[in-house]
Amino acid sequence: MHTIVSFFTIISLAACTAQLPLPSTLVHQFPTGTYVENLRARQNGQLLVTLVAPSPNVYLIDPVLSPISPTSNFTATLVHSFPSAGLLGITEVQPDQFYVAAGNFSLATLDLGAGTWGVWSLDLRSYDPISNTGAVVKEVAPLPSVAFLNGMDTLDVAANLIVVADSVKGQIVMVDVETGDSRVLVSDAVLAPPAGASGLGINGLKVLKRGDTIYLYFSTQATALFGRIPVSICASHTVGPVEILSNGTVMDDFVLDEERGVAFMSGFTNTLLSMPLDGGELTTLLGGLNETVVAGPTSATLGRGLLDKDSVYVTTNGGLLAPINGTYIEGGKVLSVDISGYC
Ligand SMILES: *[C@@H]1O[C@H](CO)[C@@H](O)[C@H](O)[C@H]1NC(C)=O
Ligand SMILES: *[C@@H]1O[C@H](CO)[C@@H](O)[C@H](O)[C@H]1NC(C)=O
Ligand SMILES: *[C@@H]1O[C@H](CO)[C@@H](O)[C@H](O)[C@H]1NC(C)=O
Ligand SMILES: *[C@@H]1O[C@H](CO)[C@@H](O)[C@H](O)[C@H]1NC(C)=O
Ligand SMILES: *[C@@H]1O[C@H](CO)[C@@H](O)[C@H](O)[C@H]1NC(C)=O
């Protein structure tokens, strides 16, 4: 008995010290000048990615088929182009009912598009990927008082509630995607850019349910924070102070992996990072400041298909905001990172 226990202990220890950097595969790369901002997996495993530039588009990418010809434009299907300038966060509420943050943010002028933001639905329940028809799109909640919408996640499926970050006002806004009603759920100086400074406050936003508590995990850009805020299960108010889990490393959006107990984050210095969900050491899993493998990462999500349960997909802007070595820019892409053997 003792030997068996030791045997499994050794196996699991070995599994937890997977060789770094983690292996990765290019799933799809868009032309230079494309800023891929965020992504979600459908329940069938296909990926939906949102673009900030050059156009406010949602593309469908099959992560199994696309790597066969990752730079061909045949392996990314334009599902919809929105009538705004940029798309940021995306989330799913009911199966195949997605929501995106859209507004007139211009990367060229850096006009943040205050007053133009809204949450739009992208309903794929009748969508046929072969003929690329059947997607139903409409604005469900104009949010004229928001300054800049960014990260987005689902708060409560049964109640049709999502949360979305306002990076300029330092707020987390709760939106009922059925009625279009919205209200500020959290407003905290820690989520705002520092007074008088440019840059964004809260950027990434994800929800973790644990017992009676819901944690709203966030990253901030200008102040380089990663942390979480507990809110009550009925989501009407915060129930504790902001907890800072990391201070000093700039991150964009991230994904929370409950099974492995870690967050996978896109690091501003061209890296994929991880940290235990309750805080702890920040580990660089892949990439580096002068490397292009994760050039300008923007978000991450977990595979949902039959074959990719051990994959984290990472989106990039190709270095558009901060060229590698000050000079190198490439097309934004979707990368698959193999997290089997990582915990
Ligand atoms: C795909 O790329 C080819 C050239 O490689 C181009 O001629 C064509 O217009 C592109 N199609 C789309 C839909 O962008
Ligand atoms: C965003 O810009 C487009 C093109 O300039 C314009 O038609 C649209 O009305 C703007 N949206 C909002 C909400 O102001
Ligand atoms: C983060 O660290 C900086 C520098 O040490 C410090 O000034 C700041 O107060 C910290 N922020 C938070 C929210 O703890
Ligand atoms: C950036 O510079 C480092 C050396 O300083 C070099 O090793 C690396 O190849 C460069 N990367 C690019 C993308 O040019
Ligand atoms: C990155 O490249 C710069 C020069 O381009 C060099 O000064 C720096 O040490 C490099 N950093 C890393 C982490 O390789």
Side-chain angles (χ1 to χ4, degrees), residues 141 164 188 262 309 317:
V164 58
D188 196 302
V262 295
K309 295 278 188 275
N317 62 31

Side-chain angles (χ1 to χ4, degrees), residues 83-84 104 115-116:
S84 50
N104 278 351
T116 69

Side-chain angles (χ1 to χ4, degrees), residues 132-306:
N132 192 27
T133 56
V136 179
V137 175
K138 67 169 196 279
E139 189 172 25
V140 294
L143 299 170
S145 61
V146 156
F148 188 82
L149 279 190
N150 205 324
M152 181 189 271
D153 203 5
T154 299
L155 182 67
D156 187 330
V157 171
N160 300 306
L161 294 173
I162 65 168
V163 279
V164 58
D166 183 335
S167 297
V168 171
K169 290 196 167 174
Q171 296 178 335
I172 296 170
V173 179
M174 184 168 75
V175 180
D176 181 324
V177 294
E178 281 298 311
T179 64
D181 292 343
S182 64
R183 70 178 181 82
V184 174
L185 178 59
V186 185
S187 187
D188 196 302
V190 97
L191 303 178
S198 60
L200 301 178
I202 179 169
N203 187 337
L205 174 64
K206 290 284 154 62
V207 175
L208 182 78
K209 292 199 171 71
R210 199 179 268 171
D212 288 342
T213 305
I214 299 175
Y215 288 101
L216 304 179
Y217 281 73
F218 65 90
S219 59
T220 67
Q221 191 181 64
T223 50
L225 302 172
F226 178 71
R228 62 183 181 183
I229 305 168
V231 299
S232 78
I233 198 80
C234 59
S236 53
H237 54 90
T238 60
V239 293
V242 177
E243 186 183 351
I244 304 298
L245 302 173
S246 166
N247 180 354
T249 301
V250 184
M251 300 164 199
D252 201 330
D253 214 339
F254 51 86
V255 65
L256 306 175
D257 184 342
E258 288 191 66
E259 198 180 308
R260 292 178 180 78
V262 295
F264 294 100
M265 310 98 144
S266 44
F268 188 70
T269 52
N270 308 312
T271 53
L272 179 68
L273 307 168
S274 74
M275 180 191 271
L277 287 175
D278 291 315
E281 199 184 333
L282 205 52
T283 305
T284 299
L285 302 177
L286 179 64
L289 179 63
N290 295 330
E291 294 177 36
T292 58
V293 62
V294 209
T298 50
S299 192
T301 203
L302 293 161
R304 290 177 77 188
L306 291 175

Side-chain angles (χ1 to χ4, degrees), residues 290 292 324-325 328:
N290 295 330
T292 58
I324 320 302
N325 288 354
Y328 176 84

Side-chain angles (χ1 to χ4, degrees), residues 299-319:
S299 192
T301 203
L302 293 161
R304 290 177 77 188
L306 291 175
L307 304 171
D308 62 357
K309 295 278 188 275
D310 289 325
S311 295
V312 167
Y313 295 102
V314 183
T315 48
T316 77
N317 62 31

